[in-house]
């Protein structure tokens, strides 16, 4: 593991002088990067509800599209903030995994496309959602297991609580 490999040793043989990266630091950086997309998408859904609703309607979501866009915006933003701050991170990652899977199957149904280029585009977007969901499920398992690390590293580090 990269975070447990010594960078160098002191004068004494086998005594680690430093680590490439601490496990908590890797998780914190990952949470920050992971959360950016969800917070941005959630805010986008809420700030441009009409545009997102038109897109959802074009994908066949029907008359409830506006409500679904608003709800998904709230869930995306709230999940992203929870992941960023490490608050109930296991539940937040799980929520985002489920949400991304639902969105993948409803918004990027490449198997329904008749145009080859549209099918290719939707397949790439579907696979992106599938990959994000897989990563979120793994992160949920890591945070749910406790792992011996602080679940609110960012909150503690910036003194919010």
């Amino acid at each position: 593991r990269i975070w447990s490999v010594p960078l160098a040793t002191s004068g004494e043989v086998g005594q680690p002088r430093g680590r490439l990266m601490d496990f908590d630091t890797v998780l914190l950086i990952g949470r920050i990067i992971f959360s950016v997309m969800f917070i941005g998408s959630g805010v986008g859904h809420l700030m441009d509800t009409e545009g997102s609703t038109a897109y959802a309607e074009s994908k066949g979501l029907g008359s409830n599209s506006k409500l679904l866009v608003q709800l998904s915006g709230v869930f995306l933003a709230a999940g992203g903030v929870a992941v960023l701050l490490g608050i109930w991170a296991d539940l937040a990652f799980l929520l985002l995994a489920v949400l991304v899977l639902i969105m993948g199957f409803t918004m990027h149904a490449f198997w329904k496309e008749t145009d080859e280029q549209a099918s290719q585009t939707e397949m790439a977007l579907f696979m992106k959602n599938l990959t994000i969901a897989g990563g979120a499920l793994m992160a949920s398992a890591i945070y749910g297991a406790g792992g011996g690390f602080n679940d609110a590293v960012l909150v503690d580090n910036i003194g919010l609580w």
Side-chain angles (χ1 to χ4, degrees):
R1 297 195 242 171
I2 65 168
W3 46 82
S4 63
V5 176
L7 284 176
T9 57
S10 62
E12 298 178 39
V13 176
Q15 295 298 314
R17 197 171 83 195
R19 303 263 182 227
L20 182 59
M21 195 164 293
D22 181 289
F23 188 62
D24 287 341
T25 304
V26 172
L27 289 174
L28 175 60
I29 292 168
R31 282 200 340 252
I32 291 168
I33 293 169
F34 193 85
S35 67
V36 168
M37 182 192 74
F38 290 102
I39 294 169
S41 293
V43 170
H45 278 66
L46 298 172
M47 297 296 288
D48 184 23
T49 302
E50 297 308 317
S52 298
T53 299
Y55 180 71
E57 287 173 350
S58 77
K59 294 296 183 173
L61 289 186
S63 61
N64 292 328
S65 293
K66 186 172 185 174
L67 175 63
L68 292 172
V69 163
Q70 291 169 331
L71 284 173
S72 66
V74 169
F75 285 128
L76 287 166
V81 168
V83 164
L84 175 67
L85 298 178
I87 299 169
W88 291 337
D90 56 340
L91 183 60
F93 277 115
L94 182 61
L95 166 80
L96 291 172
V98 170
L99 189 57
V100 167
L101 281 174
I102 290 169
M103 289 176 161
F105 279 99
T106 58
M107 304 302 286
H108 304 301
F110 65 91
W111 52 91
K112 293 180 180 178
E113 295 292 337
T114 54
D115 178 65
E116 183 64 29
Q117 187 172 0
S119 179
Q120 291 279 330
T121 300
E122 292 302 331
M123 181 188 292
L125 293 170
F126 178 83
M127 292 300 177
K128 171 201 55 109
N129 280 38
L130 196 61
T131 301
I132 292 168
L137 286 173
M138 287 187 286
S140 179
I142 290 168
Y143 277 90
F149 48 86
N150 186 352
D151 196 36
V153 174
L154 182 59
V155 173
D156 289 346
N157 287 347
I158 61 175
L160 290 178
W161 272 231

